[in-house]
Amino acid sequence: MELAEGADADALTAARTAVNLWRDAGAPYETAQTQCLVAEAALRLGDRQVAIVEVDAAIAAFANLGAACDLEAAQT
């Protein structure tokens, strides 16, 4: 919700927390989706390096899971 409202720093914090929770739950698809949110928030805040790391991790996960639509979206 924060990302949609333009509260990018709050969105980044919430998304990082969610990545950890999904990872701990053993949910790779949801982890990858949330990594895309981290990447978007980081990019909006000007942290291109973090955005690249997160989207690359999401792309690798989507490829491993065979999630073609998500893979394509993450690569754009």
Side-chain angles (χ1 to χ4, degrees):
M1 181 127 127
E2 288 93 352
L3 198 57
E5 294 173 353
D8 301 329
D10 292 338
L12 182 59
T13 300
R16 283 183 170 158
T17 299
V19 165
N20 291 328
L21 291 171
W22 284 122
R23 190 175 290 134
D24 290 348
Y29 178 77
E30 289 79 2
T31 300
Q33 285 183 314
T34 310
Q35 285 173 309
C36 289
L37 293 175
V38 170
E40 184 176 345
L43 195 57
R44 288 184 184 189
L45 291 168
D47 196 340
R48 184 170 163 76
Q49 188 172 14
V50 167
I52 290 169
V53 168
E54 293 295 336
V55 81
D56 284 349
I59 286 169
F62 289 142
N64 286 336
L65 294 167
C69 290
D70 294 289
L71 177 60
E72 184 178 329
Q75 291 173 327
T76 59

